[in-house]
Amino acid sequence: MKKGLKAILFVLCMSLLGCGRETSAEDPAAFLVNGEPVGLREWNFYVRMNQMQWEKVWLNAYGDDMWSQTADEEKGTTMAEQLKEEVMESICRIHLACQHAEEYGVSLDEGKKQEIRERAASFMEGYHEALLAYAGADEDFVFEQLSGRELSFLVAEACVADYEPEISEEDVRREGILYVLISTTGLRDAEGNLEPFSQEEVERRTQVAKDVCEAARESGDLQAAAEAEGLTPIKGSMGKSNEGDGQEPRMLDAARALKVGEISDPVWTEEGWFLVQHTSDYDEEGTAYYRERLIRRAREEEYERIYDGWRKEAQITVHQEVLDQVDVKIVLKELL
């Protein structure tokens, strides 16, 4: 297995309402976050729900003994051990955020609580009864977990609400492009399986790319030339580099080499042929979008800096004998 496997964490994330909850003989503390207990029930719930998500991704590849296989060769940890490590860290993250809710004046209003109640009901309807029973889930308990998730999000937003990162115009400036892809890979059936094109079809599509390029250069209009062939051109924008852009890098490289109005030669990629036209030297909408994107990323990074400080100062007390009561050995399909 690849070193440093990352958890595909259950969409609920983790809980709040360990906050102020009392443990008992039936629900002993698995660990404490700054003295706040995380009970066995909470621990079991999140391990099981994350276990389900991991099995959806990895079971076909690694088989029924997946949990005993090595996840991190350097640490020598199995998949089961890494799952527990990452779930525990995620629980700590949410509890620590919620412990700062009052400091930032954050709480859940009645409207948000009602919304969470409805989502909790939908959650209970969306999972197999056997899985819910194994995870120890009922609607009130799920409501608590969803409430914690929402509160932690509000804390994260409040922490950086007044943070204004320094972002230069050069970093956000975008120029306009329009591009079209003539795919040579194939089509997907109703089940999502790729049906590759025949060699003859690939050759035909390659010729289409050449024809569209020629027609677009004659007219100066890639959009019209592409639509005449039944293709769907896409309006976009490009920055000064490909870093973090998310679009096809070879296409972007070709676009930056063009003057405004010019159209590229067909650009070969693994997906097929791209044609791109440099449409403007300034794209107002793209620039505004990218500015917001960089601000959002900078605020996320600032929150991580704040959280790292909380985490370094946190006192985490582990009750290993309780943690070990949640075994990850069998795959959940055996329950269903």
Side-chain angles (χ1 to χ4, degrees):
M1 180 161 296
K2 294 180 180 178
K3 185 176 74 172
L5 173 68
K6 296 298 182 183
I8 301 166
L9 287 174
F10 174 50
V11 69
L12 279 179
C13 289
M14 302 300 144
S15 76
L16 154 70
L17 298 178
C19 297
R21 287 178 59 186
E22 297 295 329
T23 55
S24 65
E26 293 75 27
D27 187 23
F31 58 97
L32 294 90
V33 182
N34 289 331
E36 177 190 336
V38 175
L40 174 61
R41 183 183 185 190
E42 182 178 350
W43 169 241
N44 179 69
F45 177 77
Y46 290 108
V47 169
R48 297 310 177 199
M49 301 311 293
N50 280 280
Q51 179 183 352
M52 176 191 67
Q53 296 298 321
W54 281 41
E55 288 180 8
K56 282 184 178 180
V57 176
W58 299 110
L59 186 58
N60 286 340
Y62 295 102
D64 289 357
D65 64 343
M66 63 175 282
W67 293 114
S68 63
Q69 298 196 32
T70 301
D72 189 319
E73 293 179 0
E74 285 187 3
K75 295 167 63 177
T77 52
T78 64
M79 284 191 74
E81 291 167 338
Q82 183 147 337
L83 170 70
K84 287 185 174 184
E85 286 179 9
E86 296 192 19
V87 169
M88 183 176 177
E89 188 58 38
S90 294
I91 293 175
C92 289
R93 170 177 285 269
I94 303 307
H95 277 259
L96 284 170
C98 292
Q99 288 171 6
H100 289 269
E102 185 175 352
E103 174 185 344
Y104 287 96
V106 172
S107 62
L108 300 176
D109 60 27
E110 290 305 315
K112 178 60 71 173
K113 289 179 181 177
Q114 180 57 36
E115 176 189 321
I116 295 170
R117 282 285 181 197
E118 293 170 1
R119 287 162 53 197
S122 296
F123 176 92
M124 295 300 294
E125 294 173 358
Y127 288 93
H128 196 287
E129 289 182 4
L131 176 61
L132 293 171
Y134 194 52
D138 60 37
E139 191 168 322
D140 286 342
F141 184 76
V142 171
F143 170 76
E144 289 184 357
Q145 316 318 310
L146 286 170
S147 295
R149 173 179 181 263
E150 290 300 321
L151 187 61
S152 70
F153 286 169
L154 292 176
V155 171
E157 291 174 359
C159 282
V160 296
D162 297 327
Y163 177 67
E164 294 296 337
E166 293 184 6
I167 297 175
S168 70
E169 182 63 25
E170 181 182 4
D171 288 335
V172 299
R173 182 184 179 86
R174 306 284 288 181
E175 300 185 30
I177 59 175
L178 182 138
Y179 62 91
V180 63
L181 168 64
I182 300 94
S183 173
T184 58
T185 56
L187 297 175
R188 295 193 179 276
D189 60 23
E191 286 73 40
N193 301 311
L194 183 67
E195 298 179 353
F197 290 130
S198 65
Q199 184 58 38
E200 292 77 12
E201 179 63 12
V202 170
E203 292 172 359
R204 187 191 74 79
R205 286 171 171 264
T206 299
Q207 186 60 48
V208 168
K210 295 175 181 178
D211 294 344
V212 171
C213 180
E214 183 178 352
R217 283 175 168 171
E218 288 179 359
S219 65
D221 189 343
L222 176 58
Q223 180 167 344
E227 289 175 345
E229 288 288 343
L231 301 169
T232 303
I234 298 173
K235 292 182 179 179
S237 66
M238 62 179 178
K240 62 181 181 179
S241 74
N242 296 341
E243 184 179 356
D245 197 290
Q247 301 180 89
E248 167 53 50
R250 294 181 187 176
M251 180 271 291
L252 292 173
D253 289 341
R256 274 190 290 272
L258 302 171
K259 296 178 181 178
V260 173
E262 289 184 338
I263 296 162
S264 71
D265 291 331
V267 178
W268 173 250
T269 73
E270 292 181 356
E271 297 180 74
W273 295 101
F274 276 89
L275 292 167
V276 59
Q277 183 170 22
H278 188 179
T279 56
S280 72
D281 61 6
Y282 182 72
D283 185 277
E284 183 175 358
E285 182 177 348
T287 298
Y289 170 81
Y290 208 69
R291 178 180 288 107
E292 287 303 312
R293 179 178 172 183
L294 292 185
I295 289 173
R296 185 167 58 252
R297 183 189 302 168
R299 286 178 174 167
E300 290 170 353
E301 291 172 353
E302 175 64 8
Y303 177 68
E304 287 303 307
R305 185 192 67 78
I306 293 170
Y307 172 76
D308 286 345
W310 295 344
R311 184 66 179 86
K312 287 176 182 177
E313 294 178 358
Q315 294 184 353
I316 310 299
T317 305
V318 174
H319 296 163
Q320 193 64 48
E321 72 281 2
V322 179
L323 291 176
D324 290 344
Q325 290 181 40
V326 179
D327 247 345
V328 182
K329 290 183 178 179
I330 67 168
V331 294
L332 296 179
K333 69 179 182 179
E334 295 182 18
L335 301 174
L336 309 179

